[in-house]
Amino acid sequence: MPLELYLDLMSQPCRSVYIFAKKNNIPFDFKQTSLMMGDHHGEEFKKINMVKKVPAMRDGEFCLSESIAMMMYMVEKFKTPDHWYPADLQKRARVNEYLSWQHMETRTHGSKIFYINIMIPKIMGKDIPQDKRDDAIEDLNGTLKMMEEKFLGDKPFIAGDQISLADLVAIVEIYQPLAAGMDVFEGRPKLKAWKDRVRQAVGPELFDEAHKGVMGAMEMVKGMDGSKLEAIKPKIQKMYF
Amino acid sequence: MGLPDGQTLQLDTMTVELFLDLHSQPCRAVYLFAKKADIPFEYKKVDLTSGQQYGEEFGQISMVRKVPVLKDGDFILTESIAILMYLADKFSTADHWYPAEPQKRARVNEYLSWQHKAIRESGSKIFWFRAMVPLLTGAPVDQEKMDSVVEDLTSSLTIFEDKFLQKRPFITGQEISLADLVAIVELMQPVGTGFDVFEGRPLLSEWRDRVKKELGESLFDEAHHTLMNAHTLPQVLKDSGMLELLKSRWKKILN
């Protein structure tokens, strides 16, 4: 029985899992779990992941959440090429270092921009206060600076000469604010060059396919029925206003 | 040994340097692991209360200016989770810390990934709101903000008990792992301000007692001594001059 991957490609960690599995020819059943439709709150999905988040994985009786844990599991199970998660102690540490750091940096600050530019105007019918918006942009700028100076430096990829899980996790998160209309690559030639390398290494067709949904998010959300998103209004009010 | 002042003879290439301040949860996890697993290390204190992390010297070690940091010869590594995995591998520690069996290992990885934005974030916020904010702003933190973060922590604790522990003695099963270590140090952070996360939670309390026993009470208490003296922070920060710096930066630090 093949792996089941519960995914919504609007979600950054779902994209990294999807790209990794496809690139490595890992056989899996794509279980569409639509966040906008509330699939993740369903009874069936709760059995897969009681935390009610995507991505999630089922391998026979074994269920697993957290994209990073899932990819490390697939690396081991399917014996993917070494460069994805190098056996070399120090190279592997570089990958682990980025994967840990990014939760509260790239992921947090990138997600915020997506919310601010796309979700909030739809849900709340107004923009957040300018100073909060400026803070969010400043935070992301700080993250991207650290990306370029520390994690990339003068290396082609985070762990060195070849793409790894770190680059994959980084790129999908960086595409979230990009999809929200913030050109993260403008004035950042180093980051842009790295992005091009990553896209090439993954395969442009696969990369673009995985990002098609999110790149169309702005248009899609505009045309959406706002009432479907009423449930998150109080949370957004608390966090952003 | 007759060496000039300031010079040390490196007796073996296996000793690593660990830059730590035990106020910090991830530093405690690294410290506890290194001590418990008998990993040879040189303890390099980085005094966060005096702003040592912002100094020239520490900036040379790590431009991120956070602790913990590992230095192994020329190799420098940040992020406690990466450090813990590096140490487990390099020093071939007992399997149960980071099991080789893929599904057990996945459980550890799953917890270590989930916890950043769950227990770590809300536990840290409670520490800051209770120990630091009144000091920095002259007033207690807004009750609504406090209630909100306590609600977040409570949700996380429920997930911890219902998903990560269930009826198991430790997160992966019968034995302690890096996941339990990282969990306990984060859960202790609010306790340092008198906020007892274990109260009314027998399952969690029993797990805590098990983890403490496994690590050794004396080592556990030693690692948490600094934190449990957090009530002295106001005076310490005033004396060191850090109070003023923190006043202008605290919101950024929290994020």
Side-chain angles (χ1 to χ4, degrees), chain A residues 1-6 26-31 48 57-63 73 77-78, chain B residues 103:
Chain A
M1 198 178 105
L3 224 56
E4 289 177 359
L5 293 176
Y6 292 76
I26 291 167
F28 69 93
D29 276 343
F30 187 118
K31 302 288 214 178
I48 307 290
M57 180 197 91
R58 177 156 58 181
D59 184 8
E61 297 284 308
F62 182 66
C63 290
Y73 181 79
K77 186 174 169 106
F78 296 96
Chain B
Q103 290 187 4

Side-chain angles (χ1 to χ4, degrees), chain A residues 21-53:
Chain A
K22 293 285 273 200
K23 178 69 184 168
N24 287 286
N25 297 308
I26 291 167
F28 69 93
D29 276 343
F30 187 118
K31 302 288 214 178
Q32 173 68 20
T33 309
S34 168
L35 297 172
M36 297 277 186
M37 301 299 292
D39 290 351
H40 53 308
H41 291 294
E43 276 311 301
E44 272 311 300
F45 183 69
K46 224 171 133 184
K47 296 176 191 162
I48 307 290
N49 183 17
M50 63 152 287
V51 186
K52 298 186 255 189
K53 288 185 177 178

Side-chain angles (χ1 to χ4, degrees), chain B residues 25-201:
Chain B
Q25 309 91 303
C27 287
R28 292 195 298 271
V30 169
Y31 179 77
L32 282 164
F33 183 56
K35 292 287 268 199
K36 182 66 188 171
D38 287 314
I39 289 165
F41 72 95
E42 209 183 315
Y43 184 125
K44 304 286 250 186
K45 184 173 179 188
V46 179
D47 187 0
L48 299 179
T49 64
S50 70
Q52 195 182 342
Q53 72 276 33
Y54 300 121
E56 177 71 38
E57 204 183 319
F58 189 73
Q60 297 295 321
I61 304 284
S62 169
M63 70 167 86
V64 186
R65 298 188 176 279
K66 287 182 179 178
V67 283
V69 180
L70 170 148
K71 190 167 185 291
D72 186 3
D74 288 329
F75 180 68
I76 289 176
L77 185 63
T78 66
E79 292 296 316
S80 64
I81 286 168
I83 293 171
L84 291 166
M85 291 174 173
Y86 182 83
L87 291 173
D89 200 334
K90 182 180 169 98
F91 293 94
S92 305
T93 54
D95 181 75
H96 64 82
W97 287 113
Y98 197 40
E101 198 273 306
Q103 290 187 4
K104 275 212 171 110
R105 178 166 285 209
R107 285 280 162 254
V108 177
N109 288 335
E110 186 187 36
Y111 183 77
L112 294 179
S113 177
W114 173 81
Q115 62 90 33
H116 288 269
K117 205 101 177 100
I119 290 182
R120 173 159 173 69
E121 187 175 36
S122 39
S124 297
K125 271 190 175 149
I126 290 177
F127 177 84
W128 269 84
F129 283 179
R130 287 172 63 94
M132 301 297 292
V133 169
L135 187 64
L136 299 171
T137 65
V141 85
D142 176 49
Q143 192 58 43
E144 215 185 296
K145 273 203 166 85
M146 191 65 196
D147 289 344
S148 175
V149 78
V150 171
E151 201 188 310
D152 289 342
L153 182 65
T154 304
S155 304
S156 294
L157 291 179
T158 302
I159 293 174
F160 185 76
E161 288 184 327
D162 294 350
K163 176 188 167 64
F164 290 101
L165 268 186
Q166 296 178 30
K167 293 198 162 59
R168 297 185 286 266
F170 298 100
I171 290 169
T172 58
Q174 297 304 309
E175 293 179 280
I176 196 173
S177 72
L178 295 179
D180 304 279
L181 202 54
V182 166
I184 198 86
V185 296
E186 294 292 347
L187 287 172
M188 287 301 289
Q189 199 74 357
V191 177
T193 68
F195 185 94
D196 191 355
V197 302
F198 300 102
E199 192 186 312
R201 290 185 175 267

Side-chain angles (χ1 to χ4, degrees), chain A residues 25-146:
Chain A
N25 297 308
I26 291 167
F28 69 93
D29 276 343
F30 187 118
K31 302 288 214 178
Q32 173 68 20
T33 309
S34 168
L35 297 172
M36 297 277 186
M37 301 299 292
D39 290 351
H40 53 308
H41 291 294
E43 276 311 301
E44 272 311 300
F45 183 69
K46 224 171 133 184
K47 296 176 191 162
I48 307 290
N49 183 17
M50 63 152 287
V51 186
K52 298 186 255 189
K53 288 185 177 178
V54 285
M57 180 197 91
R58 177 156 58 181
D59 184 8
E61 297 284 308
F62 182 66
C63 290
L64 187 63
S65 66
E66 294 296 318
S67 63
I68 287 167
M70 287 165 60
M71 287 187 290
M72 289 175 173
Y73 181 79
M74 288 192 277
V75 159
E76 176 59 39
K77 186 174 169 106
F78 296 96
K79 305 285 181 240
T80 52
D82 180 76
H83 65 83
W84 286 111
Y85 196 44
D88 173 79
L89 193 61
Q90 293 187 359
K91 280 209 175 113
R92 177 168 286 206
R94 283 281 160 255
V95 177
N96 287 333
E97 187 185 38
Y98 181 79
L99 294 179
S100 176
W101 178 84
Q102 61 89 35
H103 289 271
M104 301 305 291
E105 295 281 339
T106 334
R107 176 152 176 70
T108 293
H109 300 143
S111 297
K112 226 175 192 172
I113 302 290
F114 187 84
Y115 253 81
I116 289 172
N117 287 5
I118 298 186
M119 303 301 289
I120 289 175
K122 185 71 189 183
I123 295 168
M124 309 301 283
K126 57 180 173 177
D127 284 329
I128 65 167
Q130 189 60 42
D131 63 318
K132 285 209 154 77
R133 173 187 284 270
D134 291 342
D135 280 348
I137 293 173
E138 199 189 320
D139 287 341
L140 183 59
N141 285 340
T143 293
L144 295 176
K145 186 167 190 274
M146 197 58 82

Side-chain angles (χ1 to χ4, degrees), chain B residues 3-22:
Chain B
L3 289 169
D5 275 3
Q7 281 196 24
T8 57
L9 182 68
Q10 182 126 44
L11 292 171
D12 66 295
T13 55
M14 285 291 269
T15 304
V16 297
E17 289 170 68
L18 295 175
F19 293 80
L20 310 169
D21 178 329
L22 298 181

